[in-house]
Amino acid sequence: MRAVLSLIIFLPLIGAVICTLLPKSRLTWPRWVAVGFSAADLALVAWVVAKFAPEGGRQFAESAVWVPQLNINYTLGVDGISITMLVLSALITFLAVIASWKVEKKPAFYFTMLLLLEVGMNGAFLALDFILFYLFWELVLVPMYFLIAQWGGPRRAYAALKFFLYTLFGSIFMLVGIVILYVHFGTFDMIRLVELGRTLPVDLQWWLFLLFFLGFAVKVPIWPLHTWLPDAHVEAPTAASAILAGVLLKMGLYGFLRVSLPVLPDAFMQWQWFLAVLAVISIIYGAAVAFAQTDIKKLVAYSSISHMGFAMLAIAAANVIGLDAALAISFSHGLISAMLFLMVGMIYDRAHTREIAELSGIAGKMPVIGGLLVFASIASVGVPGLSGFVGEFLALLGAWGSGLSYWFVIIALVGVLLGAIYMLSMVRRVAFGVPSIAIAEALDASKREIFTVAPLVVLIVLIGIDWNLLIRYVDPAARALMKLLEA
């Protein structure tokens, strides 16, 4: 199929335009449009995955001259780094649309924002021209801002503005880095810059790495650039939280793997220890603060900071196992965190509270929701047999076999222990015991809600049992990145 990647990017845009044109009196039509277009997009991504050859490098390439005077081109492609991210984007967006079925406030605007968000995410993962990449990267900010500001909680205006300013702050530094690369080499071609970047003086590479670091680290987020994340998660509507944790955080990791490591390899090796230090601080800090939370949603938000720390430690390991781990964690955490936020949303819809002290006995009163919450929590802890184990085990293995100090691994293991304590403690208090007053009249999960999380459950189990389902897609890309580091 020709131009399938362009279709994957712009099909949701067509759906967004249709949503805005629908009569305001037809409140249910936008959701059906969003379901149709997000489902069609997911089907196209599934077709690309079926045709994708893991050992084949960059595939489905598309290129056209866009602004010849500035050497800006419309260039797309998919490889082992982007294929899993693309799957996450399409899958989580489709599930987020289903999870938003009962949205009644400005439904046309709401589903337009969800579809625009998918345009930005798909585009950022497929663009191979820096200007195109930057435009899609920035596009993501706008719909997520409105989703938080319009459909969020009581402090939504503050959380939306903080999210916007933090990520815009990082993007500005990234733009400066892009301009400097263009001034030196006269091209925005990200593949060409992989070949040219290493010819830069190491001092200049170092400063460029810093600029891109600020852009990507805010998005991951890495401590101490994380403070926007808990506010955004707590105030965002359920679907936006699932996309934020499931896909948007992965854009930062994607930036490190697509740009920082291959374009600036010498500087990357100089920054290796600093990245590892920030990674283990994020692991311990995220876990410790999550342990102290009384709000389930805040607990899950801080746990994401800890899990992203494992992904950064894996990147800092700078070996094949570590890079495999970073890509595996990105995909697995996307599935698990999205499921956790969907479960928190289901509980809040019934109990109208997220306070752990006000929730108990969910498994007895609502066995399906309780069981799914226990499942997602155990997957998040990294129990063998579920996908969460794959990435974190490989991250520790990669860090142990790298040139980093063994202390990084030992400290990260403390983070694993803390993660198990706070997550299982939450499960014990919320899922078991006598049902609390808050859920006295609550009903169990509907068929729609079960359908929303069922694909996530299946993938979490399948990847946990057969690691090769995921590793065979990301390993060739990890080996290609290592060749660039070793060249």
Side-chain angles (χ1 to χ4, degrees), residues 133-144:
F133 172 76
Y134 185 79
L135 291 176
F136 284 124
W137 182 280
E138 290 297 88
L139 173 62
V140 167
L141 301 187
V142 178
M144 183 54 78

Side-chain angles (χ1 to χ4, degrees), residues 300-324:
V300 178
Y302 278 105
S303 77
S304 290
I305 297 171
S306 185
H307 288 295
M308 289 298 96
F310 280 98
M312 284 307 303
L313 180 62
I315 292 175
N319 54 30
V320 171
I321 296 177
L323 296 177
D324 278 344

Side-chain angles (χ1 to χ4, degrees), residues 95-402:
L95 298 179
V97 169
I98 301 294
S100 305
W101 205 250
K102 292 186 176 179
V103 169
E104 295 179 348
K105 177 186 174 184
K106 301 178 182 176
F109 188 32
Y110 178 88
F111 288 106
T112 297
M113 292 299 104
L114 276 187
L115 292 171
L116 277 182
L117 196 54
E118 185 172 19
V119 174
M121 295 185 300
N122 289 350
F125 292 138
L126 295 174
L128 292 176
D129 180 281
F130 251 132
I131 293 300
L132 199 60
F133 172 76
Y134 185 79
L135 291 176
F136 284 124
W137 182 280
E138 290 297 88
L139 173 62
V140 167
L141 301 187
V142 178
M144 183 54 78
Y145 170 84
F146 282 110
L147 284 168
I148 298 172
Q150 289 286 319
W151 292 272
R155 296 173 66 246
R156 57 185 179 274
Y158 168 76
L161 183 62
K162 192 174 181 180
F163 159 78
F164 192 89
L165 292 179
Y166 260 75
T167 46
L168 182 64
F169 163 83
S171 300
I172 290 171
F173 286 102
M174 182 171 70
L175 181 60
V176 174
I178 292 171
V179 170
I180 292 174
L181 283 173
Y182 177 74
V183 169
H184 267 271
F185 298 118
T187 180
F188 293 109
D189 187 325
M190 296 169 77
I191 303 304
R192 181 74 178 133
L193 286 170
V194 169
E195 301 168 5
L196 297 173
R198 65 175 57 253
T199 65
L200 288 169
V202 175
D203 288 349
L204 181 56
Q205 278 197 45
W206 195 94
W207 285 106
L208 280 169
F209 192 97
L210 174 62
L211 293 170
F212 284 108
F213 170 83
L214 291 171
F216 301 141
V218 168
K219 207 82 160 190
V220 171
I222 298 174
W223 179 92
L225 303 173
H226 67 283
T227 62
W228 63 269
L229 180 71
D231 290 314
H233 268 312
V234 169
E235 300 303 325
T238 296
S241 286
I243 293 177
L244 188 60
V247 189
L248 258 62
L249 304 189
K250 312 307 176 290
M251 290 175 69
L253 294 175
Y254 179 77
F256 277 106
L257 295 171
R258 174 64 74 200
V259 179
S260 301
L261 191 156
V263 177
L264 307 164
D266 297 327
F268 176 83
M269 295 312 296
Q270 289 194 352
W271 277 72
Q272 182 185 20
W273 279 73
F274 183 68
L275 292 179
V277 169
L278 292 185
V280 294
I281 291 175
S282 296
I283 291 169
I284 298 299
Y285 171 84
V289 179
F291 187 76
Q293 296 308 308
T294 59
D295 181 314
I296 304 178
K297 205 171 185 185
K298 266 193 174 180
L299 183 152
V300 178
Y302 278 105
S303 77
S304 290
I305 297 171
S306 185
H307 288 295
M308 289 298 96
F310 280 98
M312 284 307 303
L313 180 62
I315 292 175
N319 54 30
V320 171
I321 296 177
L323 296 177
D324 278 344
L327 289 162
I329 291 174
S330 294
F331 190 74
S332 176
H333 181 262
L335 302 175
I336 295 170
S337 61
M339 184 174 175
L340 278 169
F341 279 112
L342 290 172
M343 299 314 303
V344 172
M346 290 180 201
I347 293 170
Y348 183 76
D349 286 345
R350 289 160 173 80
H352 305 295
T353 180
R354 297 188 302 259
E355 286 296 318
I356 295 172
E358 298 175 13
L359 296 166
S360 64
I362 287 178
K365 180 68 180 177
M366 301 178 286
V368 175
I369 289 179
L372 290 170
L373 177 67
V374 172
F375 173 84
S377 302
I378 290 175
S380 176
V381 168
V383 170
L386 300 175
S387 67
F389 176 76
V390 180
E392 294 194 3
F393 172 74
L394 291 177
L396 295 171
L397 196 63
W400 189 269
S402 69

